[in-house]
Amino acid sequence: SRLSAMREISSSLADKLNQPLTSILSYTQAMQRLYQNNASSEDIKNAMSRVVVNAENAGKIIRDVRSQLKVNTLNYEMSCINDLIQQSIHLTDLDNPRSTIRLTTNYEPKFSSICIDAIQIRLVIFSLLNNAIDAVSEAVIETPEINITTRKEAHCYIVMISDNGPGLSDNIKNKLFEPFCTTKKQSVGIGLSMSHHIIELHKGNISIQSDKDTPTSVTIQLPLNRNNDYCQPLSKPL
């Protein structure tokens, strides 16, 4: 479904960008001819101004498409993080009795409900779990493992998902949260970018620790309300 959606978006984006990019090319070629023919500076300046206008239009088109893809408001409710993780596990191959991946969970036993957008956080967890599954499945590992840990700290709630996959090189690690960046052949590359955006809306933080040939750990930090006995937005929606 994501590939289908991306095809539609790509087609729409190509159609919208075709006009300003064609104009930019035409006016740039015109400037070359004007320069070669020793045209007046005013004629060259007019052609340059048209390039600027069309470049700004192209930039606006891209910003509009990006804004349409983003979640900009959150529906807060008191939700159990552990339950959201279990629900996400049930949607993956980890729930398959024949799965060769060893899954271990270490849940916070007492405090597990915080004020979040449950649907969006579950989407993040599901995406991260699938990344971990792909990492250990695509590599030659004798015993593939995924570990999920939740815990409460003074001012935040921690969710950590780690795997013993092949790890990430520094070159790709620095780009992982950029849209369309992926290490997988059959991936669009929007999962981590989407997750980063959702966690940022919650005023939280998401980070990745990984090196080549070492385990990879993704850590989510979600801020806690002052009391956590009522549901109130952690911040104003963007």
Side-chain angles (χ1 to χ4, degrees), residues 6 20 46 67 110 128 145 152 184 191 196 204 212 235:
M6 287 305 303
N46 289 335
S67 66
K110 296 180 180 180
L128 296 179
E145 299 178 6
K152 176 183 176 293
K184 296 176 286 187
H196 185 266
K212 198 67 176 174
S235 61

Side-chain angles (χ1 to χ4, degrees), residues 34-60:
L34 289 171
Y35 179 78
Q36 292 170 353
N37 295 330
N38 296 318
S40 67
S41 59
E42 187 65 27
D43 289 338
I44 296 177
K45 181 179 178 180
N46 289 335
M48 290 177 64
S49 66
R50 300 308 305 167
V51 170
V52 171
V53 168
N54 281 282
E56 290 175 344
N57 288 339
K60 183 178 183 301

Side-chain angles (χ1 to χ4, degrees), residues 22-235:
T22 300
S23 296
I24 289 172
L25 177 62
S26 297
Y27 282 111
T28 302
Q29 291 172 334
M31 280 191 292
Q32 290 177 324
R33 292 193 296 270
L34 289 171
Y35 179 78
Q36 292 170 353
N37 295 330
N38 296 318
S40 67
S41 59
E42 187 65 27
D43 289 338
I44 296 177
K45 181 179 178 180
N46 289 335
M48 290 177 64
S49 66
R50 300 308 305 167
V51 170
V52 171
V53 168
N54 281 282
E56 290 175 344
N57 288 339
K60 183 178 183 301
I61 290 169
I62 294 174
R63 289 192 298 272
D64 288 345
V65 171
R66 289 187 65 182
S67 66
Q68 291 171 12
L69 294 175
K70 285 189 174 183
V71 177
N72 289 318
T73 58
L74 299 175
N75 297 312
Y76 288 95
E77 58 183 334
M78 291 300 291
S79 303
C80 176
I81 293 286
N82 298 343
D83 288 347
L84 296 180
I85 293 173
Q86 283 300 127
Q87 292 167 14
S88 299
I89 290 173
H90 294 328
L91 296 173
T92 69
D93 288 340
L94 295 174
D95 201 43
N96 187 339
R98 296 182 179 180
S99 175
T100 59
I101 302 172
R102 185 167 69 185
L103 173 67
T104 58
T105 56
N106 299 281
Y107 292 143
E108 166 67 43
K110 296 180 180 180
F111 187 96
S112 61
S113 293
I114 62 174
C115 196
I116 54 175
D117 186 316
I119 293 177
Q120 299 301 331
I121 293 299
R122 184 169 55 202
L123 187 62
V124 170
I125 294 170
F126 176 71
S127 178
L128 296 179
L129 283 177
N130 276 322
N131 285 347
I133 292 170
D134 289 341
V136 298
S137 298
E138 294 175 359
V140 180
I141 302 172
E142 184 176 348
T143 307
E145 299 178 6
I146 293 176
N147 179 264
I148 306 172
T149 302
T150 63
R151 69 178 185 272
K152 176 183 176 293
E153 295 189 351
H155 303 292
C156 65
Y157 199 86
I158 304 294
V159 178
M160 180 180 291
I161 299 175
S162 59
D163 65 73
N164 64 339
L168 301 166
S169 65
D170 290 336
N171 186 41
I172 192 68
K173 188 168 58 176
N174 297 329
K175 303 176 182 178
L176 281 177
F177 293 121
E178 296 178 6
F180 313 119
C181 175
T182 181
T183 61
K184 296 176 286 187
K185 295 180 180 179
Q186 301 299 323
S187 174
V188 177
I190 60 175
L192 281 175
S193 174
M194 171 203 68
S195 298
H196 185 266
H197 176 65
I198 291 173
I199 298 302
E200 276 196 333
L201 281 182
H202 281 83
K203 298 302 179 184
N205 181 64
I206 180 171
S207 60
I208 297 177
Q209 290 184 329
S210 179
D211 293 300
K212 198 67 176 174
D213 300 321
T214 61
T216 298
S217 294
V218 182
T219 302
I220 299 172
Q221 294 177 305
L222 294 169
L224 299 175
N225 280 322
R226 189 179 307 172
N227 298 319
N228 283 296
D229 56 355
Y230 61 93
C231 192
Q232 176 175 307
L234 301 169
S235 61

Side-chain angles (χ1 to χ4, degrees), residues 6-18 61 65 68:
M6 287 305 303
R7 291 190 188 99
E8 293 297 324
I9 294 169
S10 299
S11 176
S12 174
L13 191 59
D15 288 341
K16 292 178 179 179
L17 285 176
N18 183 61
I61 290 169
V65 171
Q68 291 171 12

